[in-house]
């Protein structure tokens, strides 16, 4: 987005910077496909407007090849493709943002979305489709649709809106303010205030954590994992999705977990569903007690399966605190 904006402001950016950025991105996060999608959309826009589409097509192709420069080679594309096609039912962050009963969720996104939508409608009405910055509007529209499809994409929309929306609504000071340093400094301060004051005010008064960092005490099963370490328990650990990554890290080399946060890259969809069904005590959940048989079960006491495990004759509640419990075979 930075390179794209520089070029729109008349400052050329060498193609190798796009390629270098893509190499770094592909080695950091699977979201690099968003960058490739961006280049493809820009190519199509330039082609439809009879612009320099060949330049963008070359960049898109080079960046796609550049993603192969990673420790896994073409296997990265296979894993990423599988992740894109994985069904993510049950994850609120991948579901569409609710505008009904859960209207208070994602308040910042909804405020930004409605603001950009109204502003775009006004600008298109005033200037007409031919005179407005069509590439910027189309890109904003694409990411608005992505944000509506999945809550996970709301941050992408915020980044794109922050980069492109100000250019659609230029605010010019008089020439006298531009040439006099002190007055120009005052003008810059006012510009910043117009952006920052509403932003931080909204963060303070809207529902949610705002500027505060939230770290619930049940985010990681610290004491439960510490118990497993003290007792030197080894083997297979049946653990829910939200606890898997922490347990995997702390118990590395000692226990293998049933599920962790890499569900869309490492695990098959049916594996996730089996683990999810177990902790919600759905369907044939008892099968995971025998196939494959775990050596320990770490379960939140709020999960439905906790009370059922207490009645299982082959298992005993070896440890618990107010939030979690560890079950071991009798």
């Amino acid at each position: 987005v930075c390179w794209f904006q520089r070029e729109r402001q008349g400052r050329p950016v060498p193609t190798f910077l796009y390629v270098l950025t893509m190499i770094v991105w592909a080695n950091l996060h699977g979201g690099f496909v968003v960058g490739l999608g961006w280049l493809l959309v820009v190519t199509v826009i330039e082609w439809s407007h009879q612009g320099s589409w060949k330049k963008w097509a070359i960049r898109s192709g080079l960046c796609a090849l550049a993603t192969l420069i990673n420790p896994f080679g073409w296997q990265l594309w296979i894993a990423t493709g599988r992740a894109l096609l994985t069904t993510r039912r049950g994850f609120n962050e991948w579901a569409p943002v609710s505008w009904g009963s859960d209207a208070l969720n994602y308040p910042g996104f909804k405020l930004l979305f409605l603001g950009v939508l109204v502003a775009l409608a006004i600008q298109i009405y005033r200037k007409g489709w031919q005179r407005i910055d069509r590439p910027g509007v189309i890109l904003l529209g694409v990411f608005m649709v992505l944000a509506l499809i999945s809550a996970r994409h709301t941050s992408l929309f915020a980044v794109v809106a922050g980069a492109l929306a100000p250019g659609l609504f230029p605010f010019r000071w008089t020439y006298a303010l531009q040439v006099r340093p002190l007055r120009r400094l005052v003008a810059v301060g006012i510009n910043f205030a117009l952006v920052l004051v509403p932003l931080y005010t909204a963060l303070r008064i809207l529902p949610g954590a705002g500027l505060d960092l939230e770290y619930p005490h049940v985010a990681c099963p610290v004491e439960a994992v510490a118990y497993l370490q003290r007792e030197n328990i080894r083997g297979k650990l049946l653990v829910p999705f939200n606890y898997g990554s922490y347990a995997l890290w702390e118990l590395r080399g000692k226990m293998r977990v049933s599920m962790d946060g890499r569900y869309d890259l490492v695990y098959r969809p049916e594996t996730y569903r089996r683990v999810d069904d177990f902790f919600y005590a759905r369907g044939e959940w008892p099968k995971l007690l025998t196939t494959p048989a775990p050596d320990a079960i770490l379960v939140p006491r709020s999960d439905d399966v906790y009370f059922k495990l207490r009645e299982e004759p082959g298992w005993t509640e070896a440890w618990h605190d107010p939030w979690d419990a560890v079950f071991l075979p009798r």
Side-chain angles (χ1 to χ4, degrees):
V1 177
C2 175
W3 302 144
F4 180 73
Q5 283 294 81
R6 283 177 63 90
E7 293 197 274
R8 281 158 53 87
Q9 295 168 4
R11 293 177 287 177
V13 175
T15 298
F16 85 88
L17 287 179
Y18 284 89
V19 175
L20 181 62
T21 302
M22 188 57 65
I23 292 173
V24 175
W25 197 353
N27 282 271
L28 291 176
H29 196 271
F32 70 88
V33 294
V34 176
L36 295 179
W38 177 284
L39 293 173
L40 182 61
V41 170
V42 173
T43 301
V44 173
I45 293 173
E46 290 293 322
W47 172 79
S48 64
H49 291 83
Q50 299 181 343
S52 55
W53 66 271
K54 292 182 179 179
K55 176 183 72 175
W56 289 100
I58 291 172
R59 286 175 172 175
S60 181
L62 291 176
C63 286
L65 292 175
T67 61
L68 296 175
I69 304 175
N70 69 81
F72 310 103
W74 57 272
Q75 289 289 341
L76 177 67
W77 269 100
I78 294 177
T80 304
R82 197 174 80 185
L84 292 173
L85 298 174
T86 297
T87 301
R88 294 178 169 88
R89 289 191 300 269
F91 292 93
N92 292 333
E93 62 180 7
W94 286 104
V97 174
S98 173
W99 294 79
S101 57
D102 296 328
L104 294 180
N105 287 341
Y106 298 93
F109 159 70
K110 291 174 180 177
L111 184 63
L112 177 64
F113 183 91
L114 294 175
V116 171
L117 187 64
V118 171
L120 285 178
I122 294 173
Q123 288 295 96
I124 294 173
Y125 174 77
R126 291 178 56 192
K127 295 183 178 181
W129 181 248
Q130 296 300 322
R131 294 176 53 202
I132 202 169
D133 176 15
R134 285 174 289 179
V137 172
I138 292 172
L139 286 166
L140 275 171
V142 169
F143 283 88
M144 290 175 85
V145 171
L146 287 175
L148 290 174
I149 293 173
S150 171
R152 187 69 179 263
H153 298 145
T154 55
S155 57
L156 290 176
F157 166 68
V159 170
V160 175
L164 299 183
L168 296 172
F169 318 105
F171 184 69
R172 305 291 185 189
W173 289 98
T174 63
Y175 179 75
L177 288 179
Q178 295 182 35
V179 297
R180 298 187 179 183
L182 184 58
R183 293 185 179 182
R184 186 178 181 184
L185 182 63
V186 173
V188 170
I190 294 174
N191 280 346
F192 271 96
L194 289 174
V195 174
L196 295 179
V197 171
L199 171 64
Y200 284 97
T201 301
L203 288 173
R204 282 296 184 186
I205 65 176
L206 288 173
L211 298 173
D212 299 323
L213 293 177
E214 288 187 337
Y215 188 76
H217 58 272
V218 294
C220 298
V222 177
E223 296 301 326
V225 169
Y227 168 78
L228 293 170
Q229 291 173 321
R230 286 196 307 271
E231 298 299 318
N232 197 29
I233 298 172
R234 296 175 178 268
K236 296 185 288 291
L237 177 64
L238 184 51
V239 64
F241 169 79
N242 286 330
Y243 283 179
S245 297
Y246 178 80
L248 177 68
W249 176 255
E250 293 294 333
L251 299 170
R252 58 193 182 277
K254 296 180 180 179
M255 303 198 78
R256 292 178 291 174
V257 300
S258 57
M259 174 63 59
D260 65 77
R262 302 167 299 163
Y263 65 98
D264 53 357
L265 291 175
V266 176
Y267 302 95
R268 294 177 297 179
E270 54 267 28
T271 302
Y272 166 73
R273 284 194 294 269
R274 286 190 68 193
V275 174
D276 194 53
D277 287 345
F278 177 85
F279 286 96
Y280 280 97
R282 292 189 298 239
E284 299 179 340
W285 67 270
K287 281 191 174 182
L288 270 187
L289 296 176
T290 56
T291 311
D295 297 289
I297 303 173
L298 197 168
V299 55
R301 296 182 65 181
S302 60
D303 280 6
D304 297 334
V305 79
Y306 169 72
F307 301 99
K308 294 184 178 294
L309 284 174
R310 296 183 67 180
E311 300 173 358
E312 282 291 317
W315 292 85
T316 181
E317 187 175 4
W319 176 94
H320 73 265
D321 65 6
W323 308 284
D324 302 308
V326 174
F327 287 82
L328 299 176
R330 289 187 184 274

